[in-house]
Amino acid sequence: MFHHLLLTAVHATIQQGNVNIDNNRCKGCGLCVATCPAKTLQLSNNVNTRGYNFSQQLRPNRCIGCASCALICPDACITVFRTGLRKTI
Amino acid sequence: MLLYKKPSLLTDTNMHYCPGCSHAVVNKIIAEVLEEMNIGTENIIGVSPVGCGVFIYNYIDIDWVEAAHGRAPAVATGVKRMNPDKLVFTYQGDGEVTAIGTGEVIHACNRGENIAIIFINNAVFGMTNGQMAPTTPLGMKTTTCPDGRDPQLNGYPLPMAQLFADIQGTCYVTRQAVNTYKAVKNTKKAIRRAFDYSLQRKGTSVVEIICACPTNWKMTPVEANKYISDFSVKTFPLGDLKRP
């Protein structure tokens, strides 16, 4: 019981993945925002050099490092890093 | 630990595709597959189409030939016969495969040329602003059928993959989509198989990919991908139609 609670707490607070988004390549289609299972991404209110509302990671500590956003991104502007804990996609 | 990065064969050029266009996803998948195969860029020759996908030669850093509209399989036939050890593939849209170039593609498959054909089916003529294509599903609205496609007036959507599967020269025919990340993974496996079979000289491989055209479907990219999951797959069921 205690172990389960501890694990939940760890999963809620420790970041498991990290994404790096190329802002100027992003076209703001929003597919990554819709596909992210942990809801960590959001379109920015600012625009990039081409006038698109680029995608950004607002809640990085909820990222699980699954790379769904990178697979669905049409412009290949997302780089994904795994920061530990999870071993499989 | 690095989990995913932009494939190195994909150039840094900003793609001209509209936001959310599935063409860009497929370009990225092709670059990933070619990078994984690791056979050297000098051993890969692509034949690029006319249509929205025409600038693919600016985006993937391999050798390309630009064919006249619809004639990519004929050009690829010549390239492959002169370079039998190299990987030759065509990248074509539904305007090429189902309309202007049907003769070339059917006969290239019938001869069993050892090429891979990647067929992008987005149900409209995208480059000319979204007219009805032979592959438009029944009831879908386009600029030339504003009340939805009517079978009495416009006929039925053309099931190209089923036609290819019936031809003896083809070795691998599959229909995939890129609207979810799982579908993207399956499409990547299918393209890898098609390239492997064409290198092993088993016959023509055809990968039909159901794509979204959010601009001409008058939808957001997210809605367009949902439309594929909900409606397009009823007209064009996904899966392998022929395996060697």
Side-chain angles (χ1 to χ4, degrees), chain B residues 47-66:
Chain B
V47 183
S48 70
V50 172
C52 277
V54 64
F55 289 125
I56 188 172
Y57 52 71
N58 286 336
Y59 305 143
I60 302 181
D61 195 11
I62 57 172
D63 290 338
W64 288 94
V65 185
E66 166 67 43

Side-chain angles (χ1 to χ4, degrees), chain B residues 18-96:
Chain B
C18 309
C21 178
S22 298
H23 266 296
V25 184
V26 181
N27 289 6
K28 184 183 74 169
I29 296 172
I30 292 173
E32 284 174 15
V33 170
L34 293 178
E35 193 179 329
E36 279 178 15
M37 288 176 77
N38 198 16
I39 53 174
T41 52
E42 70 279 5
N43 292 324
I44 309 165
I45 301 167
V47 183
S48 70
V50 172
C52 277
V54 64
F55 289 125
I56 188 172
Y57 52 71
N58 286 336
Y59 305 143
I60 302 181
D61 195 11
I62 57 172
D63 290 338
W64 288 94
V65 185
E66 166 67 43
H69 197 9
R71 274 71 204 179
V75 174
T77 298
V79 174
K80 181 70 180 179
R81 289 193 177 192
M82 287 297 106
N83 302 282
D85 298 330
K86 298 193 176 179
L87 170 63
V88 180
F89 71 96
T90 71
Y91 179 92
Q92 298 181 278
D94 52 351
E96 292 220 344

Side-chain angles (χ1 to χ4, degrees), chain B:
Chain B
M1 183 179 71
L2 180 67
L3 200 65
Y4 185 93
K5 72 175 178 61
K6 183 166 84 70
S8 61
L9 281 181
L10 209 61
T11 59
D12 286 335
T13 319
N14 281 327
M15 294 186 178
H16 77 285
Y17 302 121
C18 309
C21 178
S22 298
H23 266 296
V25 184
V26 181
N27 289 6
K28 184 183 74 169
I29 296 172
I30 292 173
E32 284 174 15
V33 170
L34 293 178
E35 193 179 329
E36 279 178 15
M37 288 176 77
N38 198 16
I39 53 174
T41 52
E42 70 279 5
N43 292 324
I44 309 165
I45 301 167
V47 183
S48 70
V50 172
C52 277
V54 64
F55 289 125
I56 188 172
Y57 52 71
N58 286 336
Y59 305 143
I60 302 181
D61 195 11
I62 57 172
D63 290 338
W64 288 94
V65 185
E66 166 67 43
H69 197 9
R71 274 71 204 179
V75 174
T77 298
V79 174
K80 181 70 180 179
R81 289 193 177 192
M82 287 297 106
N83 302 282
D85 298 330
K86 298 193 176 179
L87 170 63
V88 180
F89 71 96
T90 71
Y91 179 92
Q92 298 181 278
D94 52 351
E96 292 220 344
V97 172
T98 66
I100 195 168
T102 315
E104 273 77 8
V105 75
I106 290 281
H107 286 289
C109 289
N110 197 27
R111 291 191 303 269
E113 302 292 345
N114 297 311
I115 56 175
I117 295 171
I118 293 168
F119 165 30
I120 307 296
N121 177 359
N122 60 5
V124 288
F125 292 145
M127 194 192 209
T128 50
N129 286 347
Q131 288 84 2
M132 180 176 56
T135 46
T136 304
L138 293 180
M140 188 176 177
K141 292 176 183 173
T142 67
T143 51
T144 45
C145 54
D147 297 327
R149 183 170 187 163
D150 174 16
Q152 300 296 325
L153 190 64
N154 312 117
Y156 293 90
L158 192 58
M160 282 310 277
Q162 280 94 325
L163 292 181
F164 290 134
D166 282 345
I167 297 176
Q168 285 190 357
T170 54
C171 73
Y172 179 53
V173 180
T174 184
R175 190 187 273 131
Q176 301 293 342
V178 287
N179 58 328
T180 61
Y181 69 91
K182 284 179 186 162
V184 169
K185 285 183 183 174
N186 290 339
T187 306
K188 189 174 170 183
K189 283 179 199 156
I191 291 179
R192 177 68 195 258
R193 265 187 221 123
F195 286 175
D196 284 344
Y197 291 147
S198 85
L199 275 178
Q200 293 161 10
R201 301 189 207 171
K202 291 195 172 179
T204 314
S205 312
V206 184
V207 184
E208 174 176 351
I209 302 169
I210 306 295
C211 285
C213 182
T215 305
N216 288 315
W217 292 4
K218 316 273 190 294
M219 296 175 186
T220 65
V222 178
E223 284 167 1
N225 278 355
K226 196 166 183 307
Y227 183 87
I228 292 181
S229 323
D230 294 348
F231 299 104
S232 297
V233 294
K234 289 181 184 159
T235 310
F236 301 110
L238 305 182
D240 290 355
L241 284 92
K242 192 174 184 181
R243 288 285 288 274

Side-chain angles (χ1 to χ4, degrees), chain A residues 40-55:
Chain A
T40 73
L41 300 169
Q42 195 170 344
L43 289 185
S44 169
N45 290 325
N46 301 324
V47 294
N48 61 15
T49 50
R50 295 194 290 159
Y52 292 119
N53 296 98
F54 55 87
S55 174

